[in-house]
Amino acid sequence: MSAPDLSTEFLSLPLANPLMNASGVWCTRVAELEALLDSAAGAMVTKSCTLTRRDGNPEPRYRTLTGPGLAGSLNSMGLPNEGHGYYLDYAAQHDYEQKPLFFSVSGLTLDDNLTIVAAARDAVLPVQLELNLSCPNVPGKAQPAYDFAAMDELVTEVASAYRRPFGVKLPPYFDFAHFDAAAEILNRHDHLAWVTCINSVGNALVIDTANESTVIRPKDGFGGLGGDYVLPIALANVNAFHRRCPGKVIIGCGGVRSGEHVFQHLLAGATLVQVGTALYEEGLGVFSRLNRELARLMESKGYSRIADFQGALRTL
Ligand code: RRO
């Protein structure tokens, strides 16, 4: 058998493979974006941006977590970014032939989001706009996606301002009533073409026993959890929205650090799979390793392309 074909499509755009960075990792500065472009990732996304530049929260604001056989991260970056114009400038000179580019938007108010979305629309670029409804780390700001009325208003306003296909980044939900409520809002919008599940698990608390202390400074130590701890939560959310939003593409994010994890996200219904904590820890070489591991696993199962198993999770 010849080597499995990892190529795929996102909204009819061809990709060499289904991997990309998770927003926030390796995508805040142009030098990082250029390195991502040269990496083995099939697509890439910019750091979530606000209207103007932000320094973010005080350090330490990212902590690598190690436990018995577990790897993960806790972050409270607080949206450090260069402002929306910086990422639109990058988007204007990005090589779209090489790989698709996603532009992540996380304005602090409805008006800020609409200003950024209008700027992206007027730039008329082949960039994929994703609205981040789930930043857990801005002190005093609740996540829009945990307030269904606010989420409905934001998605409705952005859809009518943008008038092109766009996506949303969701936090994890933990109840079928919440999967249903979120999906009902998303399914009302035809221009909402994809859903990225999940952002970090918000407001987790990690404790350093020796020092009897928190491990990051912002928000009294509460931050977004990523890595191994969140994989089953991510898979549940990917599959829950895959089942409830048949007309929409699902992008999986959460807990991916092996080819087997990529396979599980694809099986649960993801079309693309993002890598956050493992990219932060391992660097850009993670993409070629994950592609290699995914191809080896597919080969051992007799699959020659992703379509052979994508979304085909069996239940008992
Ligand atoms: O910058 C952050 O603190 C951050 C954001 Br915007 C997000 O969406 N998710 C996350 O874990 N951190």
Side-chain angles (χ1 to χ4, degrees):
M1 193 175 116
S2 55
D5 177 5
L6 299 186
S7 70
T8 191
E9 280 191 355
F10 175 82
L11 303 180
S12 305
L13 297 171
L15 277 79
N17 64 72
L19 300 181
M20 59 186 290
N21 64 308
S23 181
V25 184
W26 221 288
C27 59
T28 300
R29 307 285 316 205
V30 166
E32 296 173 295
L33 293 165
E34 287 173 347
L36 264 178
L37 184 65
D38 287 337
S39 77
M44 52 191 277
V45 57
T46 55
K47 169 68 184 172
S48 292
C49 65
T50 47
L51 193 59
T52 55
R53 190 185 173 282
R54 282 170 61 86
D55 284 335
N57 293 338
E59 298 191 358
R61 60 191 187 180
Y62 180 97
R63 173 72 167 241
T64 299
L65 306 177
T66 51
L70 288 174
S73 63
L74 187 73
N75 91 82
S76 184
M77 308 302 287
L79 264 169
N81 78 95
E82 299 296 324
H84 77 289
Y86 179 92
Y87 301 100
L88 284 179
D89 286 348
Y90 173 77
Q93 53 104 73
H94 177 78
D95 180 3
Y96 294 89
E97 296 286 308
Q98 218 172 320
K99 60 190 69 168
L101 176 70
F102 291 74
F103 170 59
S104 176
V105 175
S106 192
L108 296 177
T109 63
L110 174 61
D111 276 357
D112 284 4
N113 278 313
L114 294 179
T115 303
I116 298 169
V117 165
R121 181 197 63 213
D122 295 344
V124 197
L125 298 165
V127 75
Q128 307 298 320
L129 187 146
E130 181 171 279
L131 186 62
N132 182 357
L133 297 173
S134 49
C135 175
N137 299 331
V138 179
K141 284 249 165 228
Q143 299 185 37
Y146 282 154
D147 174 343
F148 289 124
M151 168 161 141
D152 197 0
E153 184 187 17
L154 184 49
V155 170
T156 301
E157 296 274 339
V158 165
S160 74
Y162 195 53
R163 306 192 294 265
R164 288 167 50 179
F166 70 102
V168 291
K169 173 89 168 264
L170 295 181
Y173 296 103
F174 301 94
D175 195 284
F176 275 44
H178 295 161
F179 293 143
D180 291 345
E184 191 274 325
I185 293 169
L186 304 179
N187 282 333
R188 263 192 271 124
H189 297 282
D190 289 342
H191 274 93
L192 204 159
W194 76 90
V195 183
T196 303
C197 306
I198 58 172
N199 208 317
S200 55
V201 173
N203 298 305
L205 183 65
V206 171
I207 291 177
D208 176 334
T209 310
N211 289 318
E212 302 179 11
S213 139
T214 57
V215 302
I216 56 175
R217 188 179 309 281
K219 289 180 67 177
D220 294 331
F222 286 68
L225 186 66
D228 294 350
Y229 301 91
V230 313
L231 177 65
I233 300 167
L235 294 173
N237 278 263
V238 166
N239 194 242
F241 286 96
H242 174 65
R243 289 172 184 280
R244 286 167 178 74
C245 302
K248 312 215 186 283
V249 176
I250 310 297
I251 301 181
C253 181
V256 172
R257 71 169 164 110
S258 73
E260 183 180 357
H261 300 151
V262 179
F263 182 86
Q264 291 181 349
H265 269 269
L266 295 169
L267 194 67
T271 294
L272 305 185
V273 179
Q274 302 184 337
V275 188
T277 300
L279 171 59
Y280 186 103
E281 299 299 332
E282 189 174 332
L284 294 168
V286 74
F287 294 115
S288 46
R289 178 176 67 77
L290 295 177
N291 278 327
R292 211 168 41 241
E293 291 176 7
L294 174 63
R296 206 174 297 133
L297 180 58
M298 285 170 60
E299 196 161 23
S300 74
K301 286 173 167 285
Y303 292 134
S304 53
R305 59 186 67 77
I306 287 169
D308 292 346
F309 62 91
Q310 198 248 336
L313 180 66
R314 293 197 201 126
T315 56
L316 303 180

